[in-house]
């Protein structure tokens, strides 16, 4: 983390131009991060990335997804983020979306087998829908969390009502502020599996997408084999995280123009899968981890140059 912090500061001050990532939401749109593009944005972004890591440490510790507590993925996550200067330079919609999904995942897992606790269900979908006002890509995950409700065995009529009210709540607030705001809502127009657009995307982002996708698939399969022997709750938790990872990877094809929006979420889930693999084995191959770190460091140097 310290290395990445120093790397972020150096790249922030010595690259030709600061990273700018536009965030497209249902109601709001920003061109250079959610709070501008400067030292404050850099500081907030690094702080939120730490918070995301701590949330996943809490998820793992509280629900024992991996057999023992592990911090492996925290450093790996920051290395993966640091390999793309934009991943640490600016607090954008991608970081916000990852934070909200992390919080919602923590809330969802706490509901396992508790179908009567509809307040948390309402909060989950209210958070997702509210965030979509700034980051429209998070709308896809509303469906995923509905599937997650079924996975944690709380999918019933009351849950459906709570989720619908949670989705409607931000819209109700907007209506109370000004009906005319509804006419400003912007619905994105995506073309599915647009390979031509993907090929025209920035080469650094495509390389990161391919590298993380290949590594993630390998460790996802290895972790699925390991989780067969887990109890029902732990298999459910691992299954939901795997589902989110697979959907995130597929969404990169849906809109290659916003490929960078999915990197923080893809990175934290991939790093967690790698940590799961090593923490579940007493004698994991250290050379594989070293090789992965070298690959991402090389990508980071290439981006800097």
């Amino acid at each position: 983390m310290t290395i990445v912090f120093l790397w972020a500061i150096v790249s922030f001050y010595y690259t030709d131009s600061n990273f700018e990532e536009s965030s497209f939401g249902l109601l709001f749109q920003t061109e250079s991060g959610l709070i501008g593009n400067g030292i404050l944005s850099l500081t907030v972004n690094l702080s939120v990335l730490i918070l995301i890591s701590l949330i996943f440490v809490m998820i793992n510790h509280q629900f024992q997804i991996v057999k023992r507590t592990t911090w492996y993925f925290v450093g790996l996550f920051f290395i993966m983020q640091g390999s793309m200067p934009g991943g640490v330079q600016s607090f954008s919609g991608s970081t916000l979306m990852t934070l909200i999904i992390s919080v919602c995942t923590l809330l969802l897992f706490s509901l396992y087998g508790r179908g009567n606790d509809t307040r948390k269900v309402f909060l989950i979908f209210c958070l997702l829908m509210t965030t979509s006002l700034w980051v429209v890509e998070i709308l896809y995950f509303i469906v995923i969390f509905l599937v997650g409700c079924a996975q944690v065995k709380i999918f019933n009529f009351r849950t459906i009502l709570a989720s619908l009210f949670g989705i409607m709540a931000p819209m109700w607030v907007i209506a109370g502020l000004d009906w005319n705001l509804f006419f400003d809502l912007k619905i994105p127009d995506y073309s599915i599996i647009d390979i031509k657009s993907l090929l025209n995307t920035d080469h650094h982002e495509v390389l990161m997408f391919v590298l993380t996708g290949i590594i993630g698939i390998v460790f996802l399969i290895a972790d699925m084999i390991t989780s067969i022997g887990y109890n029902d709750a732990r298999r459910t938790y691992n299954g939901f995280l795997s589902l989110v990872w697979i959907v995130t990877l597929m969404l990169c094809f849906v809109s290659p123009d916003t490929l960078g929006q999915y990197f923080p979420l893809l990175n934290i889930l991939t790093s967690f899968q790698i940590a799961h693999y090593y923490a579940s084995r007493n004698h994991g191959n250290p050379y594989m981890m070293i090789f992965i770190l070298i690959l991402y460091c090389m990508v980071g140097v290439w981006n800097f140059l």
Side-chain angles (χ1 to χ4, degrees):
M1 287 174 60
T2 303
I3 293 173
V4 174
F5 279 18
L6 295 174
W7 175 263
I9 295 172
V10 170
S11 62
F12 180 82
Y13 282 108
Y14 292 99
T15 49
D16 294 334
S17 60
N18 289 334
F19 175 81
E20 294 186 357
E21 180 182 338
S22 59
S23 295
F24 179 84
L26 291 177
L27 193 58
F28 305 103
Q29 186 171 4
T30 58
E31 296 297 332
S32 57
L34 294 177
I35 56 176
N37 192 357
I39 190 65
L40 176 61
S41 183
L42 171 67
T43 304
V44 171
N45 194 56
L46 290 174
S47 301
V48 174
L49 290 177
I50 293 175
L51 180 58
I52 292 169
S53 302
L54 293 178
I55 290 173
F56 268 85
V57 170
M58 187 186 306
I59 289 173
N60 182 50
H61 178 73
Q62 183 173 347
F63 304 104
Q64 298 181 341
I65 297 176
V66 183
K67 289 183 178 180
R68 59 177 181 266
T69 301
T70 176
W71 289 78
Y72 291 166
F73 67 92
V74 177
L76 180 58
F77 169 57
F78 272 86
I79 292 293
M80 295 169 73
Q81 280 295 109
S83 62
M84 290 290 292
V88 291
Q89 282 188 11
S90 175
F91 179 63
S92 59
S94 59
T95 310
L96 175 62
M97 181 174 72
T98 305
L99 173 64
I100 297 301
I101 290 178
S102 302
V103 172
C104 291
T105 300
L106 178 62
L107 292 172
L108 180 68
F109 287 178
S110 68
L111 289 171
Y112 184 85
R114 297 168 55 189
N116 294 326
D117 191 353
T118 55
R119 291 175 297 179
K120 287 185 179 179
V121 176
F122 171 86
L123 180 58
I124 288 172
F125 290 93
C126 185
L127 286 173
L128 293 172
M129 193 63 194
T130 302
T131 307
S132 70
L133 300 178
W134 287 270
V135 192
V136 73
E137 288 82 6
I138 204 171
L139 285 175
Y140 294 110
F141 293 92
I142 290 179
V143 179
I144 303 306
F145 275 90
L146 280 173
V147 176
C149 288
Q151 288 181 296
V152 298
K153 301 178 180 181
I154 61 169
F155 193 77
N156 52 42
F157 182 70
R158 294 183 63 183
T159 301
I160 295 174
L161 282 181
S163 62
L164 289 176
F165 285 134
I167 294 171
M168 292 169 55
M171 299 296 103
W172 185 264
V173 173
I174 291 175
L177 293 174
D178 187 355
W179 276 102
N180 293 325
L181 290 176
F182 277 108
F183 297 101
D184 295 329
L185 293 179
K186 305 174 183 66
I187 306 299
D189 182 18
Y190 289 149
S191 55
I192 301 177
I193 315 298
D194 189 353
I195 302 298
K196 183 178 179 180
S197 180
L198 181 62
L199 294 176
N200 293 330
T201 306
D202 181 79
H203 296 317
H204 298 110
E205 291 188 350
V206 174
L207 176 61
M208 273 291 296
F209 165 65
V210 173
L211 178 62
T212 306
I214 293 174
I215 292 174
I217 289 173
V218 171
F219 283 96
L220 178 67
I221 295 173
D223 291 340
M224 288 176 64
I225 296 174
T226 303
S227 62
I228 292 177
Y230 290 168
N231 59 35
D232 185 62
R234 289 171 65 189
R235 283 200 307 269
T236 298
Y237 301 144
N238 278 285
F240 179 76
L241 292 176
S242 299
L243 175 63
V244 174
W245 186 90
I246 292 171
V247 170
T248 304
L249 189 71
M250 294 177 61
L251 287 176
C252 291
F253 285 101
V254 175
S255 180
D257 295 334
T258 58
L259 192 61
Q261 291 280 29
Y262 302 103
F263 278 146
L265 182 58
L266 200 63
N267 288 341
I268 187 65
L269 292 173
T270 304
S271 62
F272 192 81
Q273 289 173 1
I274 296 174
H276 186 183
Y277 174 83
Y278 277 95
S280 301
R281 292 164 174 80
N282 295 326
H283 301 286
N285 187 352
Y287 299 105
M288 188 185 303
M289 175 70 78
I290 294 173
F291 180 67
I292 291 173
L293 291 174
I294 291 175
L295 284 177
Y296 280 104
C297 288
M298 290 175 62
V299 173
V301 172
W302 182 38
N303 287 329
F304 185 77
L305 297 176

PDB file of all heavy atoms in Angstrom, residues 72 96 123 134 173 177 236 269:
ATOM      1  N   TYR A  72      -3.909 -10.930   2.455  1.00  0.00           N
ATOM      2  CA  TYR A  72      -3.147 -11.026   1.208  1.00  0.00           C
ATOM      3  C   TYR A  72      -3.694 -10.073   0.144  1.00  0.00           C
ATOM      4  O   TYR A  72      -2.951  -9.392  -0.547  1.00  0.00           O
ATOM      5  CB  TYR A  72      -3.218 -12.448   0.632  1.00  0.00           C
ATOM      6  CG  TYR A  72      -2.484 -13.500   1.432  1.00  0.00           C
ATOM      7  CD1 TYR A  72      -2.709 -14.855   1.186  1.00  0.00           C
ATOM      8  CD2 TYR A  72      -1.580 -13.158   2.417  1.00  0.00           C
ATOM      9  CE1 TYR A  72      -2.047 -15.831   1.909  1.00  0.00           C
ATOM     10  CE2 TYR A  72      -0.924 -14.126   3.143  1.00  0.00           C
ATOM     11  CZ  TYR A  72      -1.154 -15.465   2.884  1.00  0.00           C
ATOM     12  OH  TYR A  72      -0.503 -16.414   3.592  1.00  0.00           O
ATOM     13  N   LEU A  96     -16.698   4.815  -6.384  1.00  0.00           N
ATOM     14  CA  LEU A  96     -17.948   4.922  -5.638  1.00  0.00           C
ATOM     15  C   LEU A  96     -18.794   3.667  -5.819  1.00  0.00           C
ATOM     16  O   LEU A  96     -19.348   3.136  -4.842  1.00  0.00           O
ATOM     17  CB  LEU A  96     -18.725   6.152  -6.115  1.00  0.00           C
ATOM     18  CG  LEU A  96     -20.115   6.345  -5.507  1.00  0.00           C
ATOM     19  CD1 LEU A  96     -20.038   6.539  -3.996  1.00  0.00           C
ATOM     20  CD2 LEU A  96     -20.836   7.525  -6.162  1.00  0.00           C
ATOM     21  N   LEU A 123     -32.570  -0.973   2.461  1.00  0.00           N
ATOM     22  CA  LEU A 123     -31.360  -0.151   2.436  1.00  0.00           C
ATOM     23  C   LEU A 123     -30.451  -0.535   1.274  1.00  0.00           C
ATOM     24  O   LEU A 123     -29.877   0.340   0.612  1.00  0.00           O
ATOM     25  CB  LEU A 123     -30.610  -0.297   3.764  1.00  0.00           C
ATOM     26  CG  LEU A 123     -29.315   0.507   3.908  1.00  0.00           C
ATOM     27  CD1 LEU A 123     -29.575   1.988   3.724  1.00  0.00           C
ATOM     28  CD2 LEU A 123     -28.668   0.222   5.263  1.00  0.00           C
ATOM     29  N   TRP A 134     -25.461   8.902 -10.092  1.00  0.00           N
ATOM     30  CA  TRP A 134     -24.117   9.336 -10.469  1.00  0.00           C
ATOM     31  C   TRP A 134     -23.394   8.305 -11.339  1.00  0.00           C
ATOM     32  O   TRP A 134     -22.570   8.664 -12.171  1.00  0.00           O
ATOM     33  CB  TRP A 134     -23.276   9.595  -9.230  1.00  0.00           C
ATOM     34  CG  TRP A 134     -23.636  10.834  -8.490  1.00  0.00           C
ATOM     35  CD1 TRP A 134     -23.127  12.092  -8.674  1.00  0.00           C
ATOM     36  CD2 TRP A 134     -24.615  10.961  -7.447  1.00  0.00           C
ATOM     37  NE1 TRP A 134     -23.710  12.977  -7.802  1.00  0.00           N
ATOM     38  CE2 TRP A 134     -24.634  12.315  -7.038  1.00  0.00           C
ATOM     39  CE3 TRP A 134     -25.465  10.065  -6.812  1.00  0.00           C
ATOM     40  CZ2 TRP A 134     -25.458  12.778  -6.029  1.00  0.00           C
ATOM     41  CZ3 TRP A 134     -26.294  10.525  -5.817  1.00  0.00           C
ATOM     42  CH2 TRP A 134     -26.295  11.867  -5.429  1.00  0.00           C
ATOM     43  N   VAL A 173     -38.017  10.890  -3.800  1.00  0.00           N
ATOM     44  CA  VAL A 173     -37.369  12.113  -3.319  1.00  0.00           C
ATOM     45  C   VAL A 173     -37.187  13.109  -4.458  1.00  0.00           C
ATOM     46  O   VAL A 173     -37.422  14.316  -4.299  1.00  0.00           O
ATOM     47  CB  VAL A 173     -36.016  11.780  -2.665  1.00  0.00           C
ATOM     48  CG1 VAL A 173     -35.253  13.056  -2.308  1.00  0.00           C
ATOM     49  CG2 VAL A 173     -36.214  10.933  -1.416  1.00  0.00           C
ATOM     50  N   LEU A 177     -38.665  16.916  -4.851  1.00  0.00           N
ATOM     51  CA  LEU A 177     -37.847  18.114  -5.068  1.00  0.00           C
ATOM     52  C   LEU A 177     -38.347  18.909  -6.272  1.00  0.00           C
ATOM     53  O   LEU A 177     -38.529  20.122  -6.196  1.00  0.00           O
ATOM     54  CB  LEU A 177     -36.382  17.715  -5.261  1.00  0.00           C
ATOM     55  CG  LEU A 177     -35.678  17.120  -4.034  1.00  0.00           C
ATOM     56  CD1 LEU A 177     -34.283  16.626  -4.412  1.00  0.00           C
ATOM     57  CD2 LEU A 177     -35.595  18.147  -2.903  1.00  0.00           C
ATOM     58  N   THR A 236     -22.626 -20.402  -0.304  1.00  0.00           N
ATOM     59  CA  THR A 236     -23.503 -19.331  -0.794  1.00  0.00           C
ATOM     60  C   THR A 236     -22.733 -18.031  -0.933  1.00  0.00           C
ATOM     61  O   THR A 236     -22.842 -17.329  -1.951  1.00  0.00           O
ATOM     62  CB  THR A 236     -24.688 -19.134   0.167  1.00  0.00           C
ATOM     63  OG1 THR A 236     -25.469 -20.338   0.209  1.00  0.00           O
ATOM     64  CG2 THR A 236     -25.570 -17.982  -0.296  1.00  0.00           C
ATOM     65  N   LEU A 269     -12.377  -8.121  -6.388  1.00  0.00           N
ATOM     66  CA  LEU A 269     -12.901  -9.487  -6.402  1.00  0.00           C
ATOM     67  C   LEU A 269     -11.841 -10.482  -6.864  1.00  0.00           C
ATOM     68  O   LEU A 269     -11.747 -11.593  -6.325  1.00  0.00           O
ATOM     69  CB  LEU A 269     -14.127  -9.561  -7.315  1.00  0.00           C
ATOM     70  CG  LEU A 269     -15.364  -8.811  -6.829  1.00  0.00           C
ATOM     71  CD1 LEU A 269     -16.452  -8.822  -7.892  1.00  0.00           C
ATOM     72  CD2 LEU A 269     -15.893  -9.409  -5.534  1.00  0.00           C
TER      73      LEU A 269
END
